[in-house]
Amino acid sequence: MTEGNREWLERSRRAVWHPCTQMKAHETLPLVPIAHGAGAWLHDFDGRRYLDAVSSWWVNLFGHANPRINTALAAQLSALEHVMLAGFTHRPVVELSERLSALAPGGLGHAFYGSDGACATEIALKMAFHFWQNRDRPEKTGFVALAGSYHGETLGALAVTDVALFRDTYAPLLNRNAIVPCPDARTAGPGETPREVAARAAAALEAHLARHHATTAALIVEPLVQGASGMTMYDAHYLVRARELCTRYDVLFIADEIMTGFGRTGTLFACEQAGVVPDFLCLSKGLTGGYLPLSCVLTTDPVYAAFYADELARGFLHSHSYTGNALACRAALAVLDIFAEDDVIAANRARARRWAALAAPLAAHPRVRNFRRTGMILAFEVDTQRADFARWCFAEGLARELLLRPIGRTLYFMPPYILTDDEFGLLAGRTLEIVDRA
Ligand SMILES: Cc1ncc(COP(=O)(O)O)c(C=O)c1O
């Protein structure tokens, strides 16, 4: 390791408390100091590079230091960096709201902004709760989430997250919400199709709502793919049934597309594959192409109308200082321009098929289980005895110029869309070497 890398990782260990990390682990597993990024590659201070196969926590869509997003941001910098959004407005936030609403499933015409993904979850939960208060149904306070759900790590979001490692320590601080079965396609019995698994899970949701709808404010789901609990994939039929049940039982439907949005599942939004319109659509991550923190909750006329009144307290009195930040909105507009100009969704369809073909030897490896793909996300479990697989695999990846970040024994690829076939071939080939040694 050169002085450059060593200096930055030591200074970082002393001064920076890193997220989602047992800091002591960095006594043996060094941090990776990144000097610059270009396309799908991250470069450290001593000239090594890493292929960003996880899009830097699923945010990057069009590569690091993307010239088109850079240009848009530079132009915005000289016009307006930020202004508070209470009492003020600006061009990027208006244009972005109009364009998101035109692109989202029909009828989601009101955009409320936050910064990180968890802010969007908090906004949707609070709005759903407050909606029923304003509608004189104060008993509707509960939420329903799916087994294995992940909606963020602030206290409200954690209360609808079902990942024990993140949740259990804070359990006494969290509201109790209901967890219903997940339609995980891997749980299919012999001869059972993913659609039948979805129907089975929907029947459990129906039984729950039949009993508890009077006290339930909303159902929250990650449409088609549950990311953080291990890239659990399920059939769109579940979303169709969940939408029907929510409508029938007067329960609001929150689609958390913080990870699945912006093309990850093959369509711009995962909900499109089920033809459903949620009451709340939560967006973040890819929204700014991985440039700046921005999140957004889109909602419907009836929800908006329930808050529109003469009394201040009936309004949605929620805010963050950087709500609707002009630079972040401008980055998001540049991302939407790229989607339109490059017909990204159509190009991705062909790209995903080529990636699946390049990953075929990996899918056929005797240690690989449940190889699966939804759109631009590929995932599989590795059959290994290594208790430290995730950590070991991360280090093996770095040694082969790959940024891989397994979740337990689940390995997945969620790279930026600009990855070339050669780069994907390199990713699949070097991952195969790692799986071989697992
Ligand atoms: C589905 C989903 N919801 C919410 C979040 C939280 O987003 P953030 O980490 O930006 O707070 C994530 C992050 O991974 C996510 O995948």
Side-chain angles (χ1 to χ4, degrees), residues 175-203:
N175 279 339
R176 280 166 174 257
N177 291 305
I179 298 292
V180 293
C182 167
D184 182 351
R186 288 169 301 185
T187 63
E192 201 179 21
T193 64
R195 189 187 160 95
E196 286 162 349
V197 177
R200 180 154 53 79

PDB file of all heavy atoms in Angstrom, residues 175-203:
ATOM      1  N   ASN A 175     -42.405   1.521  17.310  1.00  0.00           N
ATOM      2  CA  ASN A 175     -43.824   1.146  17.328  1.00  0.00           C
ATOM      3  C   ASN A 175     -43.964  -0.278  16.813  1.00  0.00           C
ATOM      4  O   ASN A 175     -43.247  -0.687  15.912  1.00  0.00           O
ATOM      5  CB  ASN A 175     -44.615   2.075  16.406  1.00  0.00           C
ATOM      6  CG  ASN A 175     -44.926   3.382  17.080  1.00  0.00           C
ATOM      7  OD1 ASN A 175     -44.901   3.463  18.307  1.00  0.00           O
ATOM      8  ND2 ASN A 175     -45.196   4.391  16.293  1.00  0.00           N
ATOM      9  N   ARG A 176     -44.923  -0.988  17.365  1.00  0.00           N
ATOM     10  CA  ARG A 176     -45.166  -2.352  16.892  1.00  0.00           C
ATOM     11  C   ARG A 176     -46.040  -2.307  15.654  1.00  0.00           C
ATOM     12  O   ARG A 176     -47.109  -1.719  15.676  1.00  0.00           O
ATOM     13  CB  ARG A 176     -45.920  -3.146  17.941  1.00  0.00           C
ATOM     14  CG  ARG A 176     -45.047  -3.662  19.031  1.00  0.00           C
ATOM     15  CD  ARG A 176     -45.903  -4.121  20.183  1.00  0.00           C
ATOM     16  NE  ARG A 176     -45.040  -4.750  21.164  1.00  0.00           N
ATOM     17  CZ  ARG A 176     -44.950  -6.056  21.314  1.00  0.00           C
ATOM     18  NH1 ARG A 176     -45.679  -6.865  20.580  1.00  0.00           N
ATOM     19  NH2 ARG A 176     -44.130  -6.560  22.213  1.00  0.00           N
ATOM     20  N   ASN A 177     -45.584  -2.897  14.598  1.00  0.00           N
ATOM     21  CA  ASN A 177     -46.385  -2.990  13.396  1.00  0.00           C
ATOM     22  C   ASN A 177     -46.502  -4.445  12.981  1.00  0.00           C
ATOM     23  O   ASN A 177     -45.739  -5.285  13.458  1.00  0.00           O
ATOM     24  CB  ASN A 177     -45.749  -2.149  12.287  1.00  0.00           C
ATOM     25  CG  ASN A 177     -45.864  -0.662  12.589  1.00  0.00           C
ATOM     26  OD1 ASN A 177     -46.949  -0.153  12.814  1.00  0.00           O
ATOM     27  ND2 ASN A 177     -44.729   0.036  12.644  1.00  0.00           N
ATOM     28  N   ALA A 178     -47.440  -4.724  12.082  1.00  0.00           N
ATOM     29  CA  ALA A 178     -47.671  -6.123  11.699  1.00  0.00           C
ATOM     30  C   ALA A 178     -46.733  -6.516  10.567  1.00  0.00           C
ATOM     31  O   ALA A 178     -46.445  -5.712   9.671  1.00  0.00           O
ATOM     32  CB  ALA A 178     -49.115  -6.279  11.259  1.00  0.00           C
ATOM     33  N   ILE A 179     -46.249  -7.753  10.627  1.00  0.00           N
ATOM     34  CA  ILE A 179     -45.437  -8.310   9.542  1.00  0.00           C
ATOM     35  C   ILE A 179     -46.232  -9.468   8.934  1.00  0.00           C
ATOM     36  O   ILE A 179     -46.655 -10.376   9.652  1.00  0.00           O
ATOM     37  CB  ILE A 179     -44.085  -8.834  10.083  1.00  0.00           C
ATOM     38  CG1 ILE A 179     -43.260  -7.696  10.707  1.00  0.00           C
ATOM     39  CG2 ILE A 179     -43.296  -9.535   8.978  1.00  0.00           C
ATOM     40  CD1 ILE A 179     -42.746  -6.644   9.748  1.00  0.00           C
ATOM     41  N   VAL A 180     -46.442  -9.408   7.626  1.00  0.00           N
ATOM     42  CA  VAL A 180     -47.162 -10.494   6.939  1.00  0.00           C
ATOM     43  C   VAL A 180     -46.175 -11.246   6.038  1.00  0.00           C
ATOM     44  O   VAL A 180     -45.104 -10.720   5.720  1.00  0.00           O
ATOM     45  CB  VAL A 180     -48.359  -9.944   6.109  1.00  0.00           C
ATOM     46  CG1 VAL A 180     -49.436  -9.381   7.028  1.00  0.00           C
ATOM     47  CG2 VAL A 180     -47.892  -8.909   5.100  1.00  0.00           C
ATOM     48  N   PRO A 181     -46.527 -12.481   5.611  1.00  0.00           N
ATOM     49  CA  PRO A 181     -45.564 -13.266   4.823  1.00  0.00           C
ATOM     50  C   PRO A 181     -45.155 -12.578   3.529  1.00  0.00           C
ATOM     51  O   PRO A 181     -45.936 -11.850   2.908  1.00  0.00           O
ATOM     52  CB  PRO A 181     -46.342 -14.555   4.520  1.00  0.00           C
ATOM     53  CG  PRO A 181     -47.376 -14.649   5.586  1.00  0.00           C
ATOM     54  CD  PRO A 181     -47.759 -13.232   5.912  1.00  0.00           C
ATOM     55  N   CYS A 182     -43.916 -12.829   3.142  1.00  0.00           N
ATOM     56  CA  CYS A 182     -43.365 -12.278   1.901  1.00  0.00           C
ATOM     57  C   CYS A 182     -43.577 -13.298   0.777  1.00  0.00           C
ATOM     58  O   CYS A 182     -43.418 -14.494   0.995  1.00  0.00           O
ATOM     59  CB  CYS A 182     -41.864 -12.042   2.111  1.00  0.00           C
ATOM     60  SG  CYS A 182     -40.985 -11.728   0.597  1.00  0.00           S
ATOM     61  N   PRO A 183     -43.912 -12.823  -0.421  1.00  0.00           N
ATOM     62  CA  PRO A 183     -44.130 -13.756  -1.537  1.00  0.00           C
ATOM     63  C   PRO A 183     -42.831 -14.241  -2.192  1.00  0.00           C
ATOM     64  O   PRO A 183     -42.794 -14.464  -3.409  1.00  0.00           O
ATOM     65  CB  PRO A 183     -44.967 -12.921  -2.506  1.00  0.00           C
ATOM     66  CG  PRO A 183     -44.624 -11.502  -2.205  1.00  0.00           C
ATOM     67  CD  PRO A 183     -44.251 -11.426  -0.766  1.00  0.00           C
ATOM     68  N   ASP A 184     -41.781 -14.386  -1.436  1.00  0.00           N
ATOM     69  CA  ASP A 184     -40.452 -14.811  -1.910  1.00  0.00           C
ATOM     70  C   ASP A 184     -40.563 -16.028  -2.830  1.00  0.00           C
ATOM     71  O   ASP A 184     -40.947 -17.117  -2.380  1.00  0.00           O
ATOM     72  CB  ASP A 184     -39.613 -15.151  -0.662  1.00  0.00           C
ATOM     73  CG  ASP A 184     -38.196 -15.558  -1.009  1.00  0.00           C
ATOM     74  OD1 ASP A 184     -37.890 -15.746  -2.209  1.00  0.00           O
ATOM     75  OD2 ASP A 184     -37.395 -15.702  -0.062  1.00  0.00           O
ATOM     76  N   ALA A 185     -40.198 -15.853  -4.103  1.00  0.00           N
ATOM     77  CA  ALA A 185     -40.332 -16.939  -5.082  1.00  0.00           C
ATOM     78  C   ALA A 185     -39.494 -18.164  -4.697  1.00  0.00           C
ATOM     79  O   ALA A 185     -39.792 -19.282  -5.130  1.00  0.00           O
ATOM     80  CB  ALA A 185     -39.938 -16.440  -6.470  1.00  0.00           C
ATOM     81  N   ARG A 186     -38.459 -17.966  -3.875  1.00  0.00           N
ATOM     82  CA  ARG A 186     -37.620 -19.110  -3.477  1.00  0.00           C
ATOM     83  C   ARG A 186     -38.346 -20.060  -2.538  1.00  0.00           C
ATOM     84  O   ARG A 186     -37.896 -21.172  -2.309  1.00  0.00           O
ATOM     85  CB  ARG A 186     -36.350 -18.623  -2.758  1.00  0.00           C
ATOM     86  CG  ARG A 186     -35.343 -17.962  -3.662  1.00  0.00           C
ATOM     87  CD  ARG A 186     -34.268 -17.272  -2.859  1.00  0.00           C
ATOM     88  NE  ARG A 186     -34.824 -16.266  -1.985  1.00  0.00           N
ATOM     89  CZ  ARG A 186     -34.121 -15.432  -1.215  1.00  0.00           C
ATOM     90  NH1 ARG A 186     -32.813 -15.510  -1.224  1.00  0.00           N
ATOM     91  NH2 ARG A 186     -34.712 -14.532  -0.459  1.00  0.00           N
ATOM     92  N   THR A 187     -39.471 -19.626  -1.971  1.00  0.00           N
ATOM     93  CA  THR A 187     -40.172 -20.487  -1.012  1.00  0.00           C
ATOM     94  C   THR A 187     -41.201 -21.392  -1.702  1.00  0.00           C
ATOM     95  O   THR A 187     -42.003 -22.040  -1.031  1.00  0.00           O
ATOM     96  CB  THR A 187     -40.904 -19.652   0.057  1.00  0.00           C
ATOM     97  OG1 THR A 187     -41.913 -18.850  -0.599  1.00  0.00           O
ATOM     98  CG2 THR A 187     -39.948 -18.743   0.821  1.00  0.00           C
ATOM     99  N   ALA A 188     -41.160 -21.434  -3.034  1.00  0.00           N
ATOM    100  CA  ALA A 188     -42.127 -22.261  -3.772  1.00  0.00           C
ATOM    101  C   ALA A 188     -41.988 -23.730  -3.363  1.00  0.00           C
ATOM    102  O   ALA A 188     -40.880 -24.256  -3.265  1.00  0.00           O
ATOM    103  CB  ALA A 188     -41.900 -22.104  -5.271  1.00  0.00           C
ATOM    104  N   GLY A 189     -43.123 -24.358  -3.130  1.00  0.00           N
ATOM    105  CA  GLY A 189     -43.123 -25.805  -2.879  1.00  0.00           C
ATOM    106  C   GLY A 189     -42.968 -26.538  -4.201  1.00  0.00           C
ATOM    107  O   GLY A 189     -42.950 -25.901  -5.263  1.00  0.00           O
ATOM    108  N   PRO A 190     -42.841 -27.875  -4.164  1.00  0.00           N
ATOM    109  CA  PRO A 190     -42.684 -28.632  -5.414  1.00  0.00           C
ATOM    110  C   PRO A 190     -43.842 -28.345  -6.369  1.00  0.00           C
ATOM    111  O   PRO A 190     -45.001 -28.420  -5.968  1.00  0.00           O
ATOM    112  CB  PRO A 190     -42.704 -30.105  -4.942  1.00  0.00           C
ATOM    113  CG  PRO A 190     -42.441 -30.054  -3.463  1.00  0.00           C
ATOM    114  CD  PRO A 190     -42.885 -28.721  -2.967  1.00  0.00           C
ATOM    115  N   GLY A 191     -43.499 -27.930  -7.584  1.00  0.00           N
ATOM    116  CA  GLY A 191     -44.524 -27.671  -8.612  1.00  0.00           C
ATOM    117  C   GLY A 191     -45.220 -26.325  -8.465  1.00  0.00           C
ATOM    118  O   GLY A 191     -46.060 -25.968  -9.286  1.00  0.00           O
ATOM    119  N   GLU A 192     -44.895 -25.570  -7.438  1.00  0.00           N
ATOM    120  CA  GLU A 192     -45.563 -24.289  -7.227  1.00  0.00           C
ATOM    121  C   GLU A 192     -44.867 -23.200  -8.056  1.00  0.00           C
ATOM    122  O   GLU A 192     -43.634 -23.132  -8.056  1.00  0.00           O
ATOM    123  CB  GLU A 192     -45.506 -23.921  -5.734  1.00  0.00           C
ATOM    124  CG  GLU A 192     -46.562 -22.921  -5.310  1.00  0.00           C
ATOM    125  CD  GLU A 192     -46.488 -22.596  -3.800  1.00  0.00           C
ATOM    126  OE1 GLU A 192     -45.421 -22.820  -3.175  1.00  0.00           O
ATOM    127  OE2 GLU A 192     -47.484 -22.118  -3.268  1.00  0.00           O
ATOM    128  N   THR A 193     -45.641 -22.356  -8.721  1.00  0.00           N
ATOM    129  CA  THR A 193     -45.050 -21.275  -9.523  1.00  0.00           C
ATOM    130  C   THR A 193     -44.880 -20.022  -8.648  1.00  0.00           C
ATOM    131  O   THR A 193     -45.550 -19.897  -7.613  1.00  0.00           O
ATOM    132  CB  THR A 193     -45.973 -20.904 -10.704  1.00  0.00           C
ATOM    133  OG1 THR A 193     -47.188 -20.383 -10.153  1.00  0.00           O
ATOM    134  CG2 THR A 193     -46.275 -22.099 -11.591  1.00  0.00           C
ATOM    135  N   PRO A 194     -44.016 -19.074  -9.099  1.00  0.00           N
ATOM    136  CA  PRO A 194     -43.881 -17.813  -8.355  1.00  0.00           C
ATOM    137  C   PRO A 194     -45.226 -17.097  -8.194  1.00  0.00           C
ATOM    138  O   PRO A 194     -45.508 -16.495  -7.166  1.00  0.00           O
ATOM    139  CB  PRO A 194     -42.918 -16.994  -9.213  1.00  0.00           C
ATOM    140  CG  PRO A 194     -42.107 -18.021  -9.933  1.00  0.00           C
ATOM    141  CD  PRO A 194     -43.036 -19.169 -10.196  1.00  0.00           C
ATOM    142  N   ARG A 195     -46.086 -17.208  -9.204  1.00  0.00           N
ATOM    143  CA  ARG A 195     -47.402 -16.567  -9.115  1.00  0.00           C
ATOM    144  C   ARG A 195     -48.237 -17.219  -8.018  1.00  0.00           C
ATOM    145  O   ARG A 195     -48.959 -16.544  -7.282  1.00  0.00           O
ATOM    146  CB  ARG A 195     -48.097 -16.681 -10.479  1.00  0.00           C
ATOM    147  CG  ARG A 195     -49.363 -15.876 -10.566  1.00  0.00           C
ATOM    148  CD  ARG A 195     -50.095 -16.175 -11.869  1.00  0.00           C
ATOM    149  NE  ARG A 195     -51.496 -15.787 -11.743  1.00  0.00           N
ATOM    150  CZ  ARG A 195     -51.999 -14.631 -12.126  1.00  0.00           C
ATOM    151  NH1 ARG A 195     -51.229 -13.738 -12.690  1.00  0.00           N
ATOM    152  NH2 ARG A 195     -53.284 -14.380 -11.973  1.00  0.00           N
ATOM    153  N   GLU A 196     -48.114 -18.547  -7.905  1.00  0.00           N
ATOM    154  CA  GLU A 196     -48.877 -19.233  -6.844  1.00  0.00           C
ATOM    155  C   GLU A 196     -48.350 -18.860  -5.455  1.00  0.00           C
ATOM    156  O   GLU A 196     -49.111 -18.726  -4.509  1.00  0.00           O
ATOM    157  CB  GLU A 196     -48.847 -20.751  -7.065  1.00  0.00           C
ATOM    158  CG  GLU A 196     -49.758 -21.168  -8.219  1.00  0.00           C
ATOM    159  CD  GLU A 196     -49.462 -22.559  -8.780  1.00  0.00           C
ATOM    160  OE1 GLU A 196     -48.407 -23.155  -8.434  1.00  0.00           O
ATOM    161  OE2 GLU A 196     -50.275 -23.036  -9.591  1.00  0.00           O
ATOM    162  N   VAL A 197     -47.030 -18.679  -5.356  1.00  0.00           N
ATOM    163  CA  VAL A 197     -46.460 -18.219  -4.077  1.00  0.00           C
ATOM    164  C   VAL A 197     -47.036 -16.840  -3.751  1.00  0.00           C
ATOM    165  O   VAL A 197     -47.427 -16.557  -2.610  1.00  0.00           O
ATOM    166  CB  VAL A 197     -44.917 -18.142  -4.140  1.00  0.00           C
ATOM    167  CG1 VAL A 197     -44.348 -17.601  -2.838  1.00  0.00           C
ATOM    168  CG2 VAL A 197     -44.318 -19.509  -4.454  1.00  0.00           C
ATOM    169  N   ALA A 198     -47.120 -15.993  -4.785  1.00  0.00           N
ATOM    170  CA  ALA A 198     -47.663 -14.640  -4.586  1.00  0.00           C
ATOM    171  C   ALA A 198     -49.119 -14.717  -4.127  1.00  0.00           C
ATOM    172  O   ALA A 198     -49.542 -13.984  -3.221  1.00  0.00           O
ATOM    173  CB  ALA A 198     -47.542 -13.838  -5.878  1.00  0.00           C
ATOM    174  N   ALA A 199     -49.879 -15.615  -4.736  1.00  0.00           N
ATOM    175  CA  ALA A 199     -51.298 -15.753  -4.365  1.00  0.00           C
ATOM    176  C   ALA A 199     -51.415 -16.232  -2.914  1.00  0.00           C
ATOM    177  O   ALA A 199     -52.279 -15.767  -2.157  1.00  0.00           O
ATOM    178  CB  ALA A 199     -51.992 -16.734  -5.307  1.00  0.00           C
ATOM    179  N   ARG A 200     -50.523 -17.126  -2.523  1.00  0.00           N
ATOM    180  CA  ARG A 200     -50.527 -17.652  -1.144  1.00  0.00           C
ATOM    181  C   ARG A 200     -50.231 -16.517  -0.158  1.00  0.00           C
ATOM    182  O   ARG A 200     -50.913 -16.361   0.864  1.00  0.00           O
ATOM    183  CB  ARG A 200     -49.458 -18.764  -1.064  1.00  0.00           C
ATOM    184  CG  ARG A 200     -49.306 -19.435   0.255  1.00  0.00           C
ATOM    185  CD  ARG A 200     -48.749 -20.865   0.103  1.00  0.00           C
ATOM    186  NE  ARG A 200     -47.517 -21.008  -0.662  1.00  0.00           N
ATOM    187  CZ  ARG A 200     -46.299 -20.754  -0.199  1.00  0.00           C
ATOM    188  NH1 ARG A 200     -46.131 -20.286   1.015  1.00  0.00           N
ATOM    189  NH2 ARG A 200     -45.226 -20.948  -0.966  1.00  0.00           N
ATOM    190  N   ALA A 201     -49.214 -15.706  -0.458  1.00  0.00           N
ATOM    191  CA  ALA A 201     -48.864 -14.594   0.445  1.00  0.00           C
ATOM    192  C   ALA A 201     -49.995 -13.555   0.467  1.00  0.00           C
ATOM    193  O   ALA A 201     -50.288 -12.966   1.515  1.00  0.00           O
ATOM    194  CB  ALA A 201     -47.547 -13.957   0.013  1.00  0.00           C
ATOM    195  N   ALA A 202     -50.630 -13.351  -0.689  1.00  0.00           N
ATOM    196  CA  ALA A 202     -51.734 -12.376  -0.748  1.00  0.00           C
ATOM    197  C   ALA A 202     -52.912 -12.858   0.090  1.00  0.00           C
ATOM    198  O   ALA A 202     -53.613 -12.046   0.709  1.00  0.00           O
ATOM    199  CB  ALA A 202     -52.154 -12.147  -2.191  1.00  0.00           C
ATOM    200  N   ALA A 203     -53.122 -14.174   0.139  1.00  0.00           N
ATOM    201  CA  ALA A 203     -54.215 -14.705   0.967  1.00  0.00           C
ATOM    202  C   ALA A 203     -53.924 -14.412   2.440  1.00  0.00           C
ATOM    203  O   ALA A 203     -54.840 -14.081   3.210  1.00  0.00           O
ATOM    204  CB  ALA A 203     -54.372 -16.202   0.730  1.00  0.00           C
TER     205      ALA A 203
END
